[in-house]
């Protein structure tokens, strides 16, 4: 007959040895890139989530499009009464002019779904016939984007492929210039 103390001792020994094997580097010791777990390296087929800033080129909130192949940047300017969406690349380093007359923001509020078109308004560096900037002066859209509990989604077509991304509600309303 096996004594109950022997299995307990084996489990305790295993736990202690695992603790020593999994020790983290000292606080002053930098973590080398090779020390990153493989799951991080393979995340989204080579896309490093830390490779882009937390906000867009114009200081607005980011909207992931596809598998972060592109990003939308939302600027809500209350003083001008506009909502602007910029289309940006995967790493939020450059504008991506697209061949579209408009993009759409769909909002679900009070159980109702409503779509708001944002018309192409080419930025200074956009080539003829393309736009990386889309603008709406619809006060209702701006109001919906400010209400918590309402969901909003950006829908855009880039090179014949449809993309959509959730628009996060901004909780920092100081100045409302998102």
């Amino acid at each position: 007959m096996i004594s109950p103390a022997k299995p307990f001792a084996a489990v305790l020994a295993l736990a202690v040895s695992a603790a020593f094997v999994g020790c983290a580097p000292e606080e002053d010791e930098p973590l080398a890139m090779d020390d990153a777990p493989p799951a991080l390296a393979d995340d989204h087929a080579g896309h490093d989530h830390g490779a882009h800033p937390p906000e867009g080129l114009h200081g607005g909130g980011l909207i992931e499009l596809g598998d972060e192949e592109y990003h939308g940047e939302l600027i809500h300017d209350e003083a001008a009464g506009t909502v602007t969406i910029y289309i940006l690349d995967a790493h939020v380093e450059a504008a991506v002019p697209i061949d579209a007359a408009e993009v759409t923001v769909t909002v679900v509020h009070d159980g109702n779904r409503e779509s708001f078109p944002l018309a192409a308004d080419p930025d200074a560096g956009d080539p003829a016939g393309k736009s990386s900037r889309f603008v709406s002066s619809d006060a209702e859209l701006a109001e919906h984007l400010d209400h918590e509990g309402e969901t909003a989604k950006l829908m855009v077509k880039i090179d014949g492929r449809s993309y959509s991304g959730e628009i996060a509600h901004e909780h920092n309303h100081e100045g409302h210039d998102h």
Side-chain angles (χ1 to χ4, degrees):
M1 181 190 242
I2 300 176
S3 122
K6 285 188 181 183
F8 176 76
V11 170
L12 180 61
L14 183 61
V16 169
S17 66
F20 284 111
V21 170
C23 284
E26 293 294 321
E27 225 174 287
D28 295 337
E29 184 181 349
L31 183 64
M33 288 305 291
D34 294 342
D35 294 338
L40 292 178
D42 296 332
D43 194 26
H44 286 295
H47 181 78
D48 178 6
H49 288 279
H52 61 73
E55 61 184 31
L57 298 174
H58 308 89
L62 292 177
I63 305 160
E64 295 177 6
L65 297 171
D67 194 13
E68 289 197 78
E69 297 159 74
Y70 300 96
H71 287 86
E73 177 185 7
L74 174 72
I75 305 288
H76 176 191
D77 186 341
E78 273 198 25
T82 59
V83 173
T84 303
I85 298 282
Y86 290 92
I87 305 300
L88 306 174
D89 66 3
H91 297 289
V92 189
E93 295 173 342
V96 177
I98 61 173
D99 184 18
E102 65 184 29
V103 298
T104 303
V105 171
T106 302
V107 179
V108 177
H109 59 93
D110 303 321
N112 298 314
R113 181 181 176 143
E114 192 170 357
S115 295
F116 298 89
L118 285 80
D121 183 22
D123 215 358
D126 292 345
K130 293 190 173 195
S131 182
S132 63
R133 178 175 59 191
F134 298 83
V135 181
S136 172
S137 298
D138 191 322
E140 187 179 356
L141 171 60
E143 184 179 323
H144 286 306
L145 291 175
D146 284 340
H147 287 136
E148 287 189 53
E150 295 184 3
T151 59
K153 187 177 270 193
L154 171 63
M155 311 222 299
V156 59
K157 194 170 230 177
I158 302 172
D159 292 331
R161 183 170 171 209
S162 295
Y163 292 89
S164 67
E166 296 292 325
I167 298 174
H169 177 77
E170 293 290 331
H171 295 284
N172 177 10
H173 290 291
E174 287 183 36
H176 261 166
D177 193 25
H178 305 177

